[in-house]
Amino acid sequence: MERAEYEHYVQAFNDRDYDKVLDFYAPGARIGFFGIDLSDRDAFKRFYSFLHSYVKESVFIERFASSDELVALEGIIRVEGLRDLTADVLKAQGLEQFMPIAKGEVQNMRQYIHYHLADGKFTSVGCTMA
């Protein structure tokens, strides 16, 4: 995957265009991070619809490498609280591993993200934070 195509994916994510984001994934793709498993379109949309009702999340690419089988990037994930996302709200959603964020607060997190590819589509994605 070329960087320009990946940037289209990031733009769709930053724009909250979940259908367009998911079109980059192969059927049956495994999306997992921080104990979350979003292995179908409905799970992905439920999770991000919930999260993005509380925060504005944006991806900023710093380093990018790709081949026919892998996209690897290092970037900053910026999360800005739109309304209070408390520990109690996270716990009620089974998301205790996430940090609460207050309305107006900004968190910048360095992440390393790997996408496996087949036929130009993501088959799995995983990430870690520094």
Side-chain angles (χ1 to χ4, degrees), residues 59-71:
V59 176
F60 298 96
I61 304 165
E62 293 185 330
R63 290 173 184 78
F64 176 90
S66 70
S67 70
D68 290 340
E69 298 175 343
L70 179 72
V71 170

